[in-house]
Amino acid sequence: MDGSYSVGKGSFERSKHYAIKLTQALDIAADKVRVGVIQFGSTARLEIPLDAYTNKQDLKKHIKKITYRGGSTQTSLALKYVLRKGFPSNANDTIPRILILLSDGRSQGAVQLAANELKQTGVTLFAVGLRYPRWDELHEMASTPTESHVFFAEHFHDAVNGLYTTLTLSDVCTAVPSGCFMESYACERKTLETVKELVGNFMCWKGSKASTPYTSLSPALNLDCSVDALFLVEGSTALTLEGFLRFKAFLKRFFQATMASSSPTKVGLAQFGDTVQMEARVGQHRDLAGLLAAVEAMKPVGGRALTGSALKHITMHGFQSTPVFADVYDDLPRVVVVLSATASHDAVVEPAKYARDREVFLVAVGPEALKVQMNNITANPQRTLTYQTPDKLPGKIPELRTKICSVDNQGCLGQAVDLVFVLDGSDGVGRDNFVHLTDFVRSTSVQFDVNRDVAQVGLVVYGRQPVTVFELDTHDSGSAILRAVGQAAFQGGAASTGSALLHVLASSLTVGHGARPGVNKAVVVLTDGSGAEDAAVPARKLRDNGVAVFAVGIGDVQTDSLLKITGGVEHMVTVPFYEDLKYFEDVLVQMVCAEVKKPVELCRPNPCMNDGLCTLLQRGFRCECRSGWEGPHCETRSKGRVANRGDQPKPAGMRRKDKKKNQKELKQRYRELRRRHAARRQ
């Protein structure tokens, strides 16, 4: 595992998650599969020897405990370390030896020779790319054929399935485990950064236009996603005992079909009527028998169906985080599955929004007649599941499993991006409708992995003039973004979209305001289309600087107005009413995700401040500062000295001259102080 500074702590934690996912699919035992872990940066460190742990549980626990070390990326030294100490020298030659390298491929020094030496000893080398990897280096190191030995760790399930499939088709593994299957499905690999495509109900991990083998790690219905899921079941008087028993029967069948002993999903159970009653805390029962017993013991609480009150209560009290280790908390995605069959006696819109603002994903299951209420709860029809008649409910088990696990792959989690939302706060939108725009930003931003290493989010609001609500580097968590969006104030007046876009280019997307070189940039404009007359030239400047520009037009907006902003229909979303914005969140996120996975151009937009010139180098870029400025990004005034990059030391002669000058000034000041002191004494 690459633990260097170029990978960063966020990507290092994701590489640990990848390692855990893979090891849980292997038969860990002293006489079966043995796993060791090495972390490298400036040096290599043996974190877990091959013979240390003989079961999955202990191995998983100790992989989680590995801490990020930092340092330079000395991959060659790490490979030589594996040659000397990674595998026992007296190992049985018939036992396959496999090295899985998780790295961004940005090594200091040559790696090809060490990788070749390792492969010549019979080691199979897989290269798994992290963050925004240097693919050519990973391909050089990996075993052949490279298309079966190089993967991208951004999509955990794709990379794990891909590696698992390669092993299954090789001499290493001779059988597919019970309950799993192998079939061929046609899928297409568009680029190395987007290596999956949904074909029917199956996600292809790799491939070309020809059929490609695909191996599933588990039965299709297994809840194999890492989420905390709480089932909130109606138990009101209006539901009747028959309806309550029907829900209990459905839950039993669902758990029997989806809960395997190795499932990472933690499940909880509650019911509501006038009050909310916890039947089983999330994660309390990790075995199927315990869950089924909890369902069987449920008795209806009765009273009115206060669905809104129940949602708020569950958000506040349903998920009690407990330490996994001393300083690590379980921050898995939280899902509430609402099963109800009668209309709520209280409002559901505000409580549901309260839950979503706190990063609780809502899935609703109910009859077709409750579809409007359920859409108001989920704010996304894709998370609403309806049935025509009660006898059709059991047939919805696969669909419900898919909706729950889709949260684990939500949005752009793991994708690096600098994203700026630009909101039209003019009279054309209106104060009441402006609230829908801020709600949209809240709901959309939680679909990105907000932290210093991955996604950064900024916000600009404009009327006639643009106002920055917060910069890209102001907040380092999704919860902080949710709170900060509330500071966005309605501007009023006429709209000038062009001024707002110029402000974003000149200010929001600069290094001085948090933008990161080597990270793709995206701008999302939400507008009613008025005031876009001056947007064409500023928007083109953004696009010419490598920034992806998207527009969400609401109401009776003309396509021409949005085209001035985006430059193409593929970056446009039109929404008929402000109230419908919530139904288009996923559409926008998918568009943004697809765009920001494209290769990065380090000098676009220009990372050099104060008109500095960006020059591409073999492994990065260099800023040539104009006279009067210095620093890695030309961010500091040079105080009259000859400008250079800013990170170069002063010539030795100048250092000596400055030292002599300082000593001379100190002596002169000392003499002057002595004269003043003597004059006062006289």
Side-chain angles (χ1 to χ4, degrees):
M1 294 199 298
D2 186 342
S4 66
Y5 290 131
S6 65
V7 164
K9 189 175 187 303
S11 292
F12 181 75
E13 292 300 319
R14 277 183 288 284
S15 70
K16 284 166 56 177
H17 184 68
Y18 176 90
I20 290 170
K21 286 275 190 181
L22 179 63
T23 56
Q24 296 306 292
L26 301 173
D27 191 4
I28 307 296
D31 60 342
K32 296 288 182 63
V33 180
R34 296 193 296 172
V35 174
V37 179
I38 293 171
Q39 180 185 174
F40 71 94
S42 302
T43 59
R45 174 189 173 97
L46 182 62
E47 301 282 3
I48 298 177
L50 271 170
D51 56 356
Y53 304 109
T54 57
N55 62 76
K56 296 180 185 180
Q57 291 73 26
D58 289 344
L59 182 60
K60 178 180 179 180
K61 182 169 67 174
H62 284 82
I63 291 177
K64 280 188 173 182
K65 285 184 176 180
I66 297 174
T67 57
Y68 172 66
R69 297 172 60 83
S72 60
T73 313
Q74 299 293 341
T75 311
S76 179
L77 291 179
L79 295 177
K80 291 175 182 176
Y81 183 91
V82 174
L83 268 170
R84 295 195 310 272
K85 300 182 179 179
F87 297 100
S89 56
N90 60 347
N92 187 334
D93 289 340
T94 63
I95 297 175
R97 291 172 295 160
I98 297 167
L99 176 68
I100 302 169
L101 175 70
L102 294 113
S103 174
D104 62 357
R106 297 171 179 269
S107 305
Q108 272 83 51
V111 296
Q112 186 63 55
L113 184 60
N116 286 342
E117 281 187 69
L118 198 58
K119 288 183 286 188
Q120 285 169 7
T121 65
V123 173
T124 301
L125 201 159
F126 290 87
V128 181
L130 300 172
R131 210 174 183 185
Y132 23 94
R134 180 174 289 133
W135 290 109
D136 53 350
E137 181 175 303
L138 296 179
H139 275 83
E140 286 177 359
M141 290 187 287
S143 295
T144 56
T146 54
E147 62 268 17
S148 298
H149 293 84
V150 178
F151 306 103
F152 191 28
E154 178 198 359
H155 303 293
F156 299 126
H157 299 293
D158 295 340
V160 173
N161 273 338
L163 196 147
Y164 188 77
T165 297
T166 300
L167 293 177
T168 305
L169 295 176
S170 69
D171 295 332
V172 175
C173 302
T174 56
V176 179
S178 175
C180 298
F181 55 89
M182 279 181 57
E183 294 186 43
S184 292
Y185 294 92
C187 57
E188 185 172 354
R189 185 184 71 202
K190 298 174 183 177
T191 68
L192 283 170
E193 286 83 0
T194 47
V195 294
K196 67 178 181 179
E197 183 170 296
L198 188 64
V199 179
N201 293 322
F202 300 93
M203 190 67 74
C204 297
W205 60 268
K206 259 311 189 189
S208 62
K209 290 186 178 180
S211 293
T212 301
Y214 168 92
T215 300
S216 169
L217 286 178
S218 53
L221 289 181
N222 186 26
L223 275 172
D224 57 352
C225 47
S226 298
V227 301
D228 288 348
L230 178 60
F231 289 79
L232 180 60
V233 186
E234 181 185 347
S236 71
T237 303
L239 180 64
T240 73
L241 180 60
E242 181 186 357
F244 185 73
L245 293 176
R246 187 178 294 116
F247 277 151
K248 285 179 61 173
F250 173 75
L251 285 173
K252 289 178 185 177
R253 294 182 67 171
F254 180 82
F255 292 145
Q256 287 170 336
T258 62
M259 294 299 293
S261 59
S262 60
S263 174
T265 303
K266 292 189 295 182
V267 174
L269 192 61
Q271 65 160 310
F272 71 96
D274 271 327
T275 59
V276 177
Q277 184 170 302
M278 290 298 299
E279 305 288 351
R281 288 178 288 102
V282 174
Q284 179 178 343
H285 300 293
R286 298 311 298 266
D287 61 304
L288 179 60
L291 266 177
L292 295 178
V295 174
E296 183 60 37
M298 289 172 59
K299 306 288 188 218
V301 295
R304 298 173 299 164
L306 300 180
T307 313
S309 176
L311 284 170
K312 189 163 186 178
H313 179 90
I314 286 298
T315 301
M316 296 172 65
H317 307 292
F319 300 90
Q320 300 296 331
S321 295
T322 55
V324 178
F325 301 110
D327 58 346
V328 180
Y329 281 77
D330 184 351
D331 58 352
L332 296 177
R334 297 176 296 168
V335 184
V336 172
V337 180
V338 182
L339 281 81
S340 62
T342 65
S344 177
H345 273 260
D346 61 352
V348 298
V349 174
E350 285 304 317
K353 181 177 176 298
Y354 177 86
R356 295 194 305 271
D357 285 351
R358 283 149 186 82
E359 300 185 46
V360 174
F361 295 92
L362 301 175
V363 177
V365 181
E368 187 72 30
L370 281 187
K371 188 172 184 179
V372 173
Q373 176 178 298
M374 291 190 294
N375 282 343
N376 284 331
I377 290 173
T378 63
N380 185 341
Q382 295 180 8
R383 298 200 190 106
T384 297
L385 193 156
T386 63
Y387 52 87
Q388 292 287 349
T389 55
D391 61 296
K392 302 293 184 184
L393 181 56
K396 300 293 182 180
I397 289 176
E399 190 176 350
L400 178 58
R401 177 261 170 206
T402 301
K403 291 184 186 301
I404 293 172
C405 281
S406 68
V407 172
D408 194 24
N409 297 311
Q410 189 64 32
C412 276
L413 301 184
Q415 179 61 45
V417 59
D418 284 343
L419 174 63
V420 179
F421 287 95
V422 182
L423 307 189
D424 185 343
S426 68
D427 286 337
V429 169
R431 189 178 300 275
D432 292 341
N433 290 329
F434 184 72
V435 174
H436 291 291
L437 302 189
T438 56
D439 287 346
F440 183 84
V441 174
R442 285 192 183 95
S443 300
T444 306
S445 62
V446 300
Q447 301 193 46
F448 294 85
D449 193 355
V450 178
N451 64 60
R452 298 290 186 226
D453 294 323
V454 190
Q456 293 189 149
V457 176
L459 178 60
V460 171
V461 175
Y462 70 95
R464 186 173 298 279
Q465 298 295 330
V467 175
T468 297
V469 181
F470 51 84
E471 304 286 7
L472 282 167
D473 60 350
T474 303
H475 303 293
D476 61 358
S477 69
S479 56
I481 296 291
L482 292 175
R483 291 191 296 270
V485 173
Q487 301 169 6
F490 177 70
Q491 300 294 305
S496 174
T497 309
S499 297
L501 294 177
L502 284 175
H503 173 81
V504 169
L505 179 60
S507 177
S508 303
L509 293 180
T510 61
V511 171
H513 289 96
R516 297 165 294 174
V519 175
N520 274 318
K521 312 287 186 289
V523 172
V524 177
V525 181
L526 282 87
T527 177
D528 69 342
S530 63
E533 295 79 10
D534 61 353
V537 174
R540 191 183 308 118
K541 284 185 178 179
L542 278 167
R543 298 195 301 271
D544 289 346
N545 276 278
V547 179
V549 184
F550 302 86
V552 180
I554 308 102
D556 189 18
V557 59
Q558 299 298 316
T559 301
D560 290 346
S561 297
L562 299 184
L563 279 173
K564 290 178 181 178
I565 299 171
T566 65
V569 294
E570 66 278 3
H571 285 181
M572 287 168 39
V573 178
T574 55
V575 182
F577 304 103
Y578 286 90
E579 293 79 6
D580 294 336
L581 267 172
K582 57 192 176 186
Y583 301 134
F584 292 85
E585 293 164 6
D586 289 346
V587 176
L588 175 70
V589 170
Q590 289 169 13
M591 290 167 59
V592 173
C593 290
E595 192 65 32
V596 300
K597 290 173 184 173
K598 293 181 178 179
V600 181
E601 296 185 47
L602 289 175
C603 286
R604 296 176 63 206
N606 189 359
C608 308
M609 302 169 63
N610 301 299
D611 299 325
L613 178 65
C614 179
T615 304
L616 285 174
L617 304 176
Q618 186 176 2
R619 292 179 178 267
F621 69 93
R622 174 191 181 96
C623 284
E624 300 290 346
C625 305
R626 66 185 180 89
S627 179
W629 297 94
E630 62 183 7
H633 301 285
C634 306
E635 71 277 15
T636 308
R637 288 193 179 277
S638 58
K639 299 180 181 178
R641 296 192 297 270
V642 177
N644 57 34
R645 270 193 72 207
D647 55 356
Q648 304 295 330
K650 289 187 290 188
M654 186 177 290
R655 290 199 298 270
R656 288 194 296 271
K657 188 185 295 182
D658 285 352
K659 187 174 180 180
K660 289 178 181 178
K661 182 180 177 182
N662 290 339
Q663 290 175 341
K664 185 177 180 181
E665 287 177 353
L666 285 172
K667 288 179 180 178
Q668 185 175 344
R669 288 187 62 192
Y670 177 68
R671 293 193 195 100
E672 185 176 347
L673 286 171
R674 288 197 62 180
R675 283 199 303 271
R676 290 179 183 174
H677 182 66
R680 280 198 299 270
R681 291 185 63 184
Q682 292 175 356

